[in-house]
Amino acid sequence: MDRALRWLSNAAKGELREPDEPFEIPAFDTNSASATTIAFNETQESFPDWRTTYGQWGTVNLRSLPTAEETYATGAFKDSDDEVVYQPQWGGYIDSNPDDSVSGAWALLEEVPIEPPWEAPETWEDLEGFFEGTETDPYELRANIKPVLDDEPVKILLIGFPIPASVDGDPEIIYWQPIEIQEFKDPNDLSGGFRDTGRGPEIAERREAGEEQIRWLDSDNWSHEQLTRRGHMTEWFLDRNIVLIGAGALGSMVAENLVRAGCQQLTIVDNDTYEIGNVARHTLTIDEVGRNKATAVADRLESIAPYAQVLDVDSAFPPSGELPEPIREAEVVIDCTASRGVRRALDAIRWNHPVVFCSAAMGRRASRLFCFTAYSHTFPYSDYNEAFDPWRLQEQIEWDEDEDAIPERVGCWHPASVIRTDRVMTWAGTVTRLLDQATSLSLRENHFTVLETGSGDELPTISQATPPFQDGTIWRAPESPINVQIPATCLEAMYDRCRKEHPCETGGILAGTDRLNGPALVVNARDPPRDSIQEPTRFLRGTDKVEEWLKDARESIGIDYLGEWHYHPGASPDLSRDDRTAMNEIANDDGYDCPHPLLFIVGQDEEGQFSINAYLFHDSKEYEQLERIDNPDAASTLNVGDDI
């Protein structure tokens, strides 16, 4: 009641509309008409097309859309001489429904039809005043459009007028408010008869339609700029040609985010078929089972936004033969395949113009997101590998240690796979955020982002991931061009085993990997095999299941045998004659395929504190004691030996 009283007071004083306030369309009473809605597409860019047509009328093609409510989208507007005035540019969804259409009519006023203080015309007599001074008479208009609309199932006249963005602002867009004409007046029904002079229909409309209640219909502006006002990506992306490779769980959600965020030109590339197992983590539905993913996702995206033009390429990337034009003209390329083959193919293609690249993939159980963005003429594959290699190894190690992990061969679509769709949605939204940030990259610049969140049923708390293997100790050979890094977790694993077996000697295998741009990395310090001999003055490392473990580690994780570790309880970590003999035998044993094995010896002083020395052996029976580097940056310029 208070609001109603304030409204009446402001209306009486002429203060309903204050300058600079957002302009509002008057409330047109649509209760008496059908539930038909008209969707139009008007922008600031289309506004100049109408400047010379104020006061005129014409016809418009109305395309029926398969929505739950009866909806028609405006097609070509023609003037009374049948010349095209304006052709709205729609996306694929509306362009694919051109056959089921009706003819309508339009008339353009020069001002908003508002009866003071804020009321829309209710009768044709009320509307008549807004046509005064124009080339169009409303009753003559009804007579002229009768032949066009008479046989249509719904008779629609669009009344257009220019509107500003704010009160008292300059007009910047055309708004269309539709009228449903229930029936046209028949001259034969005129009382007293009439002479057929050709003006009979106009006279009938003038006499009979003046007091007729206007049946206003609902309408909405479906233009791109209107539908994205509630939130969109950086303007730079909205009219770019975007290619997305991989329409799986992550790719389909990224693509949907792009369209809902205002992107208009997309090409989806995927040769895979949508299967029932995909339903758990995909934007498609059961209706699309058996269809190509790229085609089905493209159809879905076009049904989301009327401005979206989405093409599909139903083949693997890169397509055979010449690249399709949408890929050649791509300004943004997004890879959601997690495929090395795709990244290599992108590296082999050179675009004539700089491209924003984004390669996104989820980690184990989707607890991490890896997102690499670059701005270049070709995808910088070597830079990507350098950034991702430590994480690839970390992921493989975690998979190997996860007893509940689903075997990779099952496929991520399998119902037993443990990635939930809410996690995929989280990362898909993050990818579009990171894409926004990619617009700040300079030419040939790239950025690698790793985000992680809790696993299991924890509430997602996303944070920047700490790079793996950063807390290790680096050792350098004094003569050979070899550096070795051993993470703190491996050292602690050795110390724990020493505490457990004390006062007996113990030890195990060292496994890891060589890295071309950094120290060789020890990632696993194995406990002693079951058949090992552990005594206070002797340790003999056993062989039970060692060969099987090394074979599995090489195939599943990509790590190899690097050497041994050994514990001297209550003694210094110095090399003994037996240690040297054993390591020389390993260096000369082709079965180990390690001509330069490592040996880490853990010692212990009288106070129980551990100390450690490291040695590098050669098949020539020579060895080097490695030097511990307290400043890791000092080793960054050293090359890694190929033999480790």
Side-chain angles (χ1 to χ4, degrees):
M1 180 63 68
D2 286 340
R3 292 179 63 191
L5 290 173
R6 287 200 301 272
W7 190 96
L8 290 171
S9 174
N10 290 337
K13 295 183 291 184
E15 296 176 354
L16 281 180
R17 297 183 296 158
E18 294 294 332
D20 298 327
E21 290 182 348
F23 180 84
E24 297 180 63
I25 302 296
F28 292 87
D29 183 6
T30 61
N31 294 324
S32 61
S34 64
T36 302
T37 298
I38 303 300
F40 60 91
N41 185 350
E42 295 289 350
T43 65
Q44 292 179 345
E45 287 73 23
S46 67
F47 186 67
D49 294 340
W50 295 106
R51 287 185 179 277
T52 60
T53 58
Y54 288 137
Q56 298 183 24
W57 67 275
T59 61
V60 58
N61 177 256
L62 300 173
R63 303 174 180 180
S64 178
L65 303 180
T67 56
E69 296 180 343
E70 187 176 36
T71 304
Y72 292 89
T74 56
F77 286 79
K78 297 183 178 180
D79 60 20
S80 56
D81 295 325
D82 207 34
E83 296 291 332
V84 175
V85 177
Y86 171 56
Q87 177 69 61
Q89 297 300 310
W90 293 108
Y93 176 73
I94 293 177
D95 285 344
S96 64
N97 291 281
D99 297 330
D100 191 9
S101 61
V102 300
S103 294
W106 63 269
L108 187 61
L109 302 176
E110 197 166 355
E111 60 179 324
V112 181
I114 297 177
E115 296 282 357
W118 191 246
E119 184 179 10
E122 295 182 356
T123 66
W124 281 88
E125 186 176 6
D126 294 338
L127 186 61
E128 182 180 358
F130 293 97
F131 282 93
E132 290 181 0
T134 71
E135 301 176 23
T136 302
D137 175 89
Y139 305 110
E140 182 181 357
L141 171 64
R142 287 178 60 117
N144 288 335
I145 64 177
K146 180 178 184 298
V148 178
L149 306 186
D150 222 5
D151 295 331
E152 298 294 352
V154 57
K155 301 171 179 57
I156 296 176
L157 168 64
L158 302 181
I159 301 296
F161 42 88
I163 61 172
S166 59
V167 176
D168 290 346
D170 293 330
E172 58 183 47
I173 199 171
I174 296 296
Y175 191 91
W176 295 101
Q177 187 66 45
I179 293 175
E180 180 184 16
I181 299 177
Q182 191 169 18
E183 63 179 11
F184 292 97
K185 308 306 178 184
D186 189 342
N188 293 310
D189 295 335
L190 292 176
S191 59
F194 75 100
R195 289 182 297 175
D196 189 6
T197 61
R199 296 185 62 241
E202 176 194 340
I203 296 172
E205 296 291 350
R206 190 177 299 278
R207 286 190 186 179
E208 303 295 330
E211 297 182 0
E212 180 181 303
Q213 194 81 9
I214 295 178
R215 299 166 64 88
W216 295 109
L217 296 175
D218 288 322
S219 63
D220 289 301
N221 190 351
W222 283 18
S223 70
H224 175 262
E225 66 181 36
Q226 292 295 316
L227 296 186
T228 58
R229 290 179 67 182
R230 294 188 177 184
H232 55 72
M233 292 187 68
T234 302
E235 292 280 353
W236 186 89
F237 279 98
L238 301 187
D239 58 355
R240 301 292 169 176
N241 293 318
I242 301 175
V243 171
L244 186 140
I245 308 168
L250 182 63
S252 66
M253 292 184 187
V254 169
E256 184 155 326
N257 286 341
L258 291 172
V259 168
R260 293 188 185 277
C263 296
Q264 301 175 82
Q265 303 289 332
L266 273 77
T267 299
I268 311 295
V269 184
D270 200 313
N271 67 332
D272 200 9
T273 299
Y274 181 68
E275 303 178 31
I276 189 63
N278 298 131
V279 171
R281 287 185 304 274
H282 208 282
T283 61
L284 296 177
T285 65
I286 294 177
D287 292 342
E288 281 78 37
V289 169
R291 295 186 66 194
N292 170 263
K293 286 182 180 178
T295 304
V297 168
D299 289 345
R300 172 178 171 80
L301 296 178
E302 289 193 335
S303 72
I304 289 174
Y307 49 74
Q309 289 279 3
V310 187
L311 305 176
D312 62 283
V313 178
D314 57 353
S315 67
F317 188 89
S320 58
E322 184 179 359
L323 282 179
E325 183 178 353
I327 297 179
R328 293 199 312 271
E329 296 182 353
E331 297 165 280
V332 180
V333 176
I334 305 169
D335 164 38
C336 291
T337 63
S339 166
R340 295 184 186 181
V342 169
R343 290 190 290 270
R344 289 194 187 100
L346 289 172
D347 185 37
I349 301 171
R350 181 175 178 81
W351 276 262
N352 293 326
H353 51 273
V355 173
V356 171
F357 292 98
C358 174
S359 183
M362 297 181 295
R364 182 181 66 94
R365 297 183 183 271
S367 59
R368 291 193 186 99
L369 174 73
F370 305 101
C371 189
F372 180 86
T373 54
Y375 186 52
S376 183
H377 288 83
T378 187
F379 182 78
Y381 181 69
S382 60
D383 291 346
Y384 174 91
N385 269 351
E386 182 178 350
F388 183 62
D389 270 348
W391 287 105
R392 180 186 291 114
L393 181 58
Q394 178 69 17
E395 288 280 315
Q396 290 169 332
I397 292 171
E398 291 173 354
W399 269 111
D400 187 59
E401 296 173 348
D402 189 351
E403 296 179 357
D404 298 326
I406 303 301
E408 187 176 354
R409 62 182 177 274
V410 170
C412 68
W413 69 268
H414 196 277
S417 186
V418 292
I419 300 176
R420 287 181 15 171
T421 188
D422 56 348
R423 187 63 58 82
V424 183
M425 289 179 177
T426 297
W427 293 136
T430 306
V431 170
T432 53
R433 293 282 185 175
L434 293 173
L435 268 172
D436 264 341
Q437 296 179 9
T439 57
S440 63
L441 293 174
S442 302
L443 187 61
R444 291 183 291 277
E445 184 182 3
N446 58 66
H447 185 71
F448 184 59
T449 302
V450 182
L451 301 174
E452 62 185 4
T453 185
S455 58
D457 295 328
E458 299 176 13
L459 291 176
T461 303
I462 298 173
S463 61
Q464 191 85 19
T466 302
F469 316 120
Q470 299 298 301
D471 58 348
T473 304
I474 295 180
W475 301 75
R476 177 174 59 191
E479 299 179 7
S480 304
I482 292 175
N483 299 314
V484 178
Q485 180 179 355
I486 182 165
T489 53
C490 289
L491 289 175
E492 191 56 41
M494 288 190 279
Y495 296 157
D496 285 344
R497 191 70 193 183
C498 294
R499 296 185 187 100
K500 181 179 180 181
E501 300 299 336
H502 188 81
C504 293
E505 294 191 13
T506 189
I509 289 174
L510 299 177
T513 181
D514 178 33
R515 297 185 295 177
L516 294 179
N517 297 307
L521 181 66
V522 177
V523 298
N524 196 298
R526 296 283 294 177
D527 289 339
R530 293 183 178 181
D531 60 340
S532 300
I533 298 175
Q534 303 181 91
E535 298 175 351
T537 59
R538 184 172 68 130
F539 171 72
L540 182 62
R541 196 260 295 160
T543 59
D544 182 40
K545 296 185 178 180
V546 169
E547 185 175 345
E548 294 91 336
W549 182 86
L550 286 172
K551 181 176 182 294
D552 181 67
R554 184 180 300 110
E555 293 177 352
S556 63
I557 306 178
I559 62 176
D560 294 295
Y561 175 86
L562 292 185
E564 306 280 329
W565 73 273
H566 183 50
Y567 173 46
H568 291 172
S572 62
D574 295 329
L575 186 68
S576 69
R577 180 178 298 178
D578 290 341
D579 293 334
R580 181 174 177 179
T581 299
M583 295 307 297
N584 283 330
E585 290 177 357
I586 290 174
N588 287 278
D589 189 339
D590 293 339
Y592 283 97
D593 192 25
C594 185
H596 302 277
L598 293 166
L599 175 63
F600 278 76
I601 299 179
V602 178
Q604 186 183 44
D605 60 23
E606 295 179 355
E607 297 179 356
Q609 298 297 316
F610 292 120
S611 58
I612 190 166
N613 282 339
Y615 302 87
L616 176 68
F617 291 82
H618 306 290
D619 54 8
S620 61
K621 296 187 179 181
E622 297 178 355
Y623 73 92
E624 300 175 69
Q625 183 171 348
L626 304 184
E627 301 170 352
R628 180 168 178 165
I629 301 174
D630 293 326
N631 179 14
D633 293 336
S636 62
T637 59
L638 299 175
N639 295 324
V640 178
D642 295 334
D643 295 325
I644 288 185

